[in-house]
Each structure stands twice: as C-alpha cells, then as structure tokens.
Amino acid sequence: MSTIALITGGNRGLGLATATALARTGATVIIAGRDLEAVRCAADGLLAEGLRAEPLMLDVASPASVAEAADEIGERHGHLDILVNNAGILPEASARGDHDFVDLAAFASTFETNVLGVATVTEKFLPLLRRSTAGRIVNVSSTMGSLSDQSDESSPYYSSIVPAYQASKAAVNSMTIGLSKQLAGTPLKVTSVCPGWVQTDLAPGNRDQAPTSADEAARIVVTAATLPDHAESGTFISSGGAVAW
Ligand code: NAP
C-alpha cells in the first residue's frame, strides 16, 4: 500500500518540490492549500508525470478548514503516514508599516499562519497519524528561529532581526520538542527542518539571491519525512546536520 503524505502549502515553492520528491519515492501525496485552483493545478502536474497526487483545500489559518480537511482525508484514506507542516509566510519582508521594533499586523498574521497553523493542523491530523505504523511529522522551520544562532555573534544569522518570523520559527521548534515528548513510546516521530535559503517567493529577492533550489532544499524535508524506525525524534536538522536550538 502506498504511503500517504500531506504537505501544507504544497502548491508552490518548497512545498511543491517536497510533494514532487515524496511522490517520486512512491508516496501518494496530498497537495494541501488554501487556493483550490492552485492545488488542483499542482496535483495535475504530478499526475501528468505518472505520480500519485491529490488536491486538498486546506487553509492552515482557518480551524474550520483544517477540521474539514482532516475529515476528508479520514474518509479518503482512513489514516495519514506523513504530515509536512510547510505552509509559512514572511510578511515582514515586505511590511512598510510605521513601527519601531515590529509591525504588529505582520506579527499577528505571521503567528496565525506559522504557529497557530502548525498547532491546528497537527492537532486535527494526529488521530489519523496515530493510525499509521510509522507516522512522521516534519515542521518546516528555519535557522532564523534558532535562539543559539540569534545570540551567537559568530553566527551568520546574528545580524538578522526579523522579530515575528524568528519568534514564529522558535515557537515551531518548541512545539517539535513538546510533541516528541508527547509521542514518546509511539512509532510517531517529529522533526524540525531548516531547508536553507531557498529560491522561492517567500520574500522579495529570494529567487535571485538564494543559493539553494527548491528541489535541493526538499531533500532534507524528505529525509525527515522518511526517518527510519531507529532514528531519534525531536531533532532540528538541515542538510549540514544538526542545528542548534
Ligand atoms: P512560498 O514559495 O511563499 O510558499 C509558501 C506556501 O505556503 C504557499 O504554497 C502558500 O500558499 C502557503 N500558505 C501560506 N499561507 C497559507 C495558509 N494560510 N494556508 C495554506 N497554505 C498557506 O515559500 P517557501 O519558501 O516555499 O516556504 C515554505 C516553508 O519554508 C515556510 O514555512 C518557510 O518559512 C520555510 N522556509 C523557507 C526558506 C526560504 O529561504 N525560502 C528558508 C527557511 C524556511 P498560496 O500559494 O495560497 O499563497
């Protein structure tokens, strides 16, 4: 039976690259997103390659949408093997509001998507993941959220101050640690991943300046999504190995 994998924000960027890579391993990928036409189009692209893909309407910022999506996957498949919490935003990169430290509107929307979104999707899909024999949850985080890097003068991330985004990814990392403890003694594993600086539309200029293609970045997400049974849960990894919390 094919592995069932759901990727939030799977219609473009790193999410679509991850969906494609997972589908190429033989998984049935559920491309979840808030724009039905976009997820249909992305799924059609994979189907045209002969891969297994399904579209799913899922807005991580809407608890009702997430609950409906979980019910839908329960009806379609009865369980879920891989959840990739990928959907994320960085509105501070283009926010021009009048603020001293942080744009509060950007802070609220960042947390709604990047933090509450991850919590809501995880909570609603956990019952389906618990029915898997080897469930894996991947939280797409960032070294930008590493408290160690933010406070280490020798880190290349030290001079970056993007308060809402950094706090949101630190919160995601905290959820990874908490969830790994909650899931101890079960086959389920959860991992935070930093994909690197990736050529996507997350922030203006990323496509021209970032060194890593979405396909390359998807490799570490796939690694976390396909951890072997003996692997540790509750880690934070990048293509370079462990990332300091
Ligand atoms: P992207 O190209 O902007 O894609 C973001 C995806 O998230 C889109 O599919 C978008 O859907 C979706 N999304 C946003 N809000 C959503 C919502 N409420 N419900 C469902 N889907 C939603 O950015 P990306 O670079 O691929 O980002 C993917 C993840 O990687 C994010 O968590 C980001 O923080 C993380 N990351 C990226 C980088 C980088 O350098 N790019 C580095 C570190 C971490 P729409 O098409 O509907 O907008």
Side-chain angles (χ1 to χ4, degrees):
M1 203 168 58
S2 176
T3 297
I4 310 293
L6 186 149
I7 301 96
T8 65
N11 54 290
R12 63 187 171 95
L14 179 63
L16 180 56
T18 299
T20 307
L22 280 171
R24 287 181 182 150
T25 70
T28 298
V29 295
I30 296 156
I31 298 189
R34 57 185 168 176
D35 176 342
L36 190 56
E37 270 317 298
V39 288
R40 277 191 182 139
C41 178
D44 285 347
L46 268 62
L47 290 169
E49 263 192 62
L51 302 170
R52 295 189 184 94
E54 300 174 7
L56 179 73
M57 178 76 191
L58 191 163
D59 179 348
V60 302
S62 160
S65 163
V66 177
E68 270 176 44
D71 287 347
E72 170 79 28
I73 296 310
E75 280 167 28
R76 280 193 216 168
H77 298 288
H79 76 286
L80 183 64
D81 297 301
I82 296 170
L83 168 63
V84 181
N85 281 313
N86 166 79
I89 59 171
L90 205 181
E92 284 165 303
S94 40
R96 292 281 172 270
D98 179 17
H99 56 271
D100 192 352
F101 169 57
V102 64
D103 180 308
L104 293 175
F107 198 96
S109 60
T110 301
F111 264 63
E112 185 179 38
T113 299
N114 295 10
V115 182
L116 275 174
V118 171
T120 308
V121 172
T122 302
E123 183 64 26
K124 294 295 179 193
F125 281 90
L126 257 184
L128 293 173
L129 285 155
R130 285 185 185 277
R131 290 188 203 152
S132 170
T133 52
R136 302 288 180 263
I137 300 167
V138 184
N139 290 332
V140 179
S141 180
S142 169
T143 308
M144 295 280 278
S146 160
L147 300 180
S148 301
D149 279 81
Q150 281 184 61
S151 48
D152 172 2
E153 283 183 40
S154 67
S155 166
Y157 293 84
Y158 182 78
S159 57
S160 299
I161 305 173
V162 194
Y165 187 74
Q166 286 170 313
S168 77
K169 294 304 187 183
V172 165
N173 286 345
S174 178
M175 280 194 277
T176 297
I177 294 172
L179 184 58
S180 71
K181 292 180 191 171
Q182 180 73 15
L183 297 174
T186 77
L188 283 157
K189 296 183 194 301
V190 55
T191 308
S192 271
V193 163
C194 173
W197 188 18
V198 192
Q199 293 153 5
T200 69
D201 294 321
L202 184 71
N206 258 26
R207 279 195 183 271
D208 302 329
Q209 292 162 30
T212 312
S213 73
D215 288 343
E216 285 170 69
R219 283 191 207 141
I220 190 66
V221 185
V222 172
T223 297
T226 56
L227 285 180
D229 290 344
H230 62 266
E232 198 183 341
S233 181
T235 65
F236 184 17
I237 58 172
S238 72
S239 61
V243 182
W245 299 108

